[in-house]
């Protein structure tokens, strides 16, 4: 006999742990404190976590820390390695370098150099710049004496958001086409049954698919709900933090969106005078967002949490 409500309770507790880890990566995180977040006994929590995640708590913490650091090494090229290591919870540059090399096979400095070499130039703009009228604005200046750089051509705006309660369903696995199928086959029917089709929607990518193994990538799809709403079926609730975000207007297909995220983090952010903080990145689909089932083209805003550099 299965007990869906019991399973949902376990899922909710474990999701709270993963959310707590992401928001506290720069702090000491031990088994006892995380077991308290999950409301499980510390004696059993390690085994429960390993069974649920498929990796030990220690392995998950190390992997998550170095993967977030890898993203920041590219997005914040002027920030020295040591502050980035400290920002994800390593006590020294040496410990960070050892963990980073074990995960990626090279030093953090080599990784940053390799990724920087992939950045588009005026002579070799890259795939991102060739996706005309999908992910970047094509309103380049006509003045040949002052051509705009790729990052200057993006429709990025700085916005301030209030904290928002979101109900969501989680997909674990490769991004791309499986995410589109997840929205259509799982999320849309749930929203329809729950009377939520008119609500603004969110897609929250917790992992960078160019860094994290596809089978371990997590994506939450859902919509805004009143904070007091309790009847959610098998969905869970979280709060999308408020504050300052950089928002890129996107129009394209599922196949284009990864390139748009990459361009925003690798090309726009390093020249913006801003940096990432610990809040989540997400796709925001306001009321009135379009989707063409014939072509797969949709529009949304890609929102990146930012703070002064």
């Amino acid at each position: 006999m299965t007990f869906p409500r019991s399973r949902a309770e376990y899922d909710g507790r474990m999701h709270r742990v993963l959310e707590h880890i992401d928001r506290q990566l720069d702090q000491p995180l031990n088994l006892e404190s995380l077991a308290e977040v999950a409301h499980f006994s510390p004696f059993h929590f390690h085994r429960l976590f390993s069974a649920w995640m498929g990796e030990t708590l220690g392995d998950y913490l190390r992997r998550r820390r170095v993967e977030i650091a890898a993203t920041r090494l590219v997005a914040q090229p002027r920030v020295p390695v040591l502050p980035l290591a400290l920002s994800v919870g390593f006590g020294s540059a040496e410990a960070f370098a050892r963990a980073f090399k074990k995960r990626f096979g090279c030093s953090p400095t080599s990784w940053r150099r390799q990724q920087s070499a992939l950045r588009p130039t005026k002579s070799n703009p890259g795939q991102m710049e060739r996706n005309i009228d999908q992910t970047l604005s094509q309103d380049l200046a006509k003045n040949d004496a002052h051509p705009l750089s790729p990052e200057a051509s993006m429709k990025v705006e700085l916005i301030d958001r209030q904290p928002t309660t979101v109900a969501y369903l989680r997909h674990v696995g490769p991004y791309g086409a499986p995410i589109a199928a997840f929205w259509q086959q799982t999320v849309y029917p749930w929203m329809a049954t729950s009377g939520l089709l008119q609500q603004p929607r969110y897609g929250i990518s917790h992992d960078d698919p160019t860094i994290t193994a596809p089978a371990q990538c997590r994506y939450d799809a859902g919509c805004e709900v009143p904070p007091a709403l309790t009847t959610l079926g098998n969905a869970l609730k979280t709060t999308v933090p408020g504050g300052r975000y950089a928002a890129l207007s996107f129009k394209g297909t599922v196949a284009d969106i990864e390139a748009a995220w990459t361009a925003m983090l690798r090309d726009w952010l390093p020249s913006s005078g801003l940096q990432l903080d610990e809040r989540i990145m997400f796709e925001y689909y306001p009321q009135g967002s379009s989707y063409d089932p014939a072509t797969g083209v949709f529009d949304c805003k890609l929102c990146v949490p930012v703070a002064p550099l």
Side-chain angles (χ1 to χ4, degrees):
M1 180 181 295
T2 60
F3 298 89
R5 292 187 64 182
S6 176
R7 173 69 189 199
E9 177 65 21
Y10 267 73
D11 285 350
R13 292 188 188 189
M14 288 300 191
H15 282 213
R16 285 195 292 273
V17 170
L18 300 186
E19 188 172 72
H20 179 83
I21 289 171
D22 277 359
R23 295 183 181 185
Q24 304 289 330
L25 273 180
D26 62 332
Q27 301 297 317
L29 295 167
N30 55 45
L31 185 148
E32 289 76 17
S33 65
L34 294 175
E36 185 176 351
V37 172
H39 298 295
F40 284 127
S41 162
F43 183 77
H44 296 295
F45 177 67
H46 191 277
R47 179 170 291 180
L48 287 170
F49 186 93
S50 297
W52 193 73
M53 284 296 296
E55 57 187 321
T56 68
L57 177 61
D59 287 344
Y60 177 82
L61 285 171
R62 281 187 293 273
R63 177 174 68 80
R64 192 68 183 141
R65 282 177 161 139
V66 296
E67 289 177 352
I68 291 295
T71 298
R72 293 180 181 177
L73 282 165
V74 178
Q76 299 164 208
R78 299 183 184 88
V79 178
V81 171
L82 179 57
L84 289 180
L86 297 176
S87 77
V88 293
F90 286 93
S92 69
E94 292 76 14
F96 174 55
R98 286 195 298 270
F100 196 94
K101 187 170 185 178
K102 184 176 181 179
R103 172 65 179 84
F104 293 104
C106 64
S107 71
T109 301
S110 295
W111 168 270
R112 173 178 270 172
R113 189 182 304 117
Q114 293 166 10
Q115 297 301 309
S116 178
L118 298 176
R119 189 175 178 188
T121 64
K122 296 180 180 66
S123 60
N124 181 23
Q127 183 62 40
M128 189 66 256
E129 311 315 315
R130 291 192 288 268
N131 288 342
I132 297 175
D133 208 25
Q134 291 182 339
T135 55
L136 297 181
S137 167
Q138 298 305 303
D139 299 329
L140 294 176
K142 302 299 183 180
N143 187 346
D144 291 338
H146 302 282
L148 293 183
S149 62
E151 58 269 19
S153 68
M154 298 184 194
K155 292 181 180 177
V156 178
E157 58 181 330
L158 297 179
I159 60 175
D160 292 302
R161 290 180 47 93
Q162 296 298 313
T164 305
T165 302
V166 171
Y168 67 92
L169 300 173
R170 174 160 293 182
H171 172 274
V172 179
Y175 292 167
I179 296 297
F182 181 62
W183 273 104
Q184 295 165 9
Q185 299 169 15
T186 302
V187 181
Y188 184 88
W190 163 71
M191 291 180 63
T193 301
S194 304
L196 298 171
L197 289 180
Q198 302 306 313
Q199 294 295 99
R201 305 176 191 183
Y202 292 76
I204 303 171
S205 301
H206 293 281
D207 303 284
D208 182 340
T210 66
I211 294 174
T212 303
Q216 295 174 317
C217 287
R218 298 160 298 150
Y219 180 92
D220 296 338
C223 62
E224 290 184 15
V225 295
L229 183 65
T230 56
T231 305
L232 299 169
N234 60 341
L236 299 168
K237 280 200 307 185
T238 189
T239 299
V240 174
R244 174 62 55 101
Y245 289 84
L248 170 65
S249 295
F250 170 85
K251 185 172 185 179
T253 67
V254 168
D256 303 315
I257 201 164
E258 181 182 328
W261 279 115
T262 298
M264 195 173 183
L265 295 175
R266 193 181 66 198
D267 307 333
W268 179 83
L269 188 61
S271 301
S272 68
L274 301 167
Q275 62 180 325
L276 298 173
D277 64 22
E278 73 282 355
R279 292 170 294 156
I280 56 175
M281 304 179 196
F282 55 90
E283 305 151 20
Y284 175 58
Y285 302 83
Q287 291 178 329
S289 297
S290 64
Y291 171 71
D292 185 346
T295 63
V297 172
F298 61 92
D299 64 80
C300 67
K301 290 186 179 293
L302 307 185
C303 298
V304 172
V306 291
L309 187 60

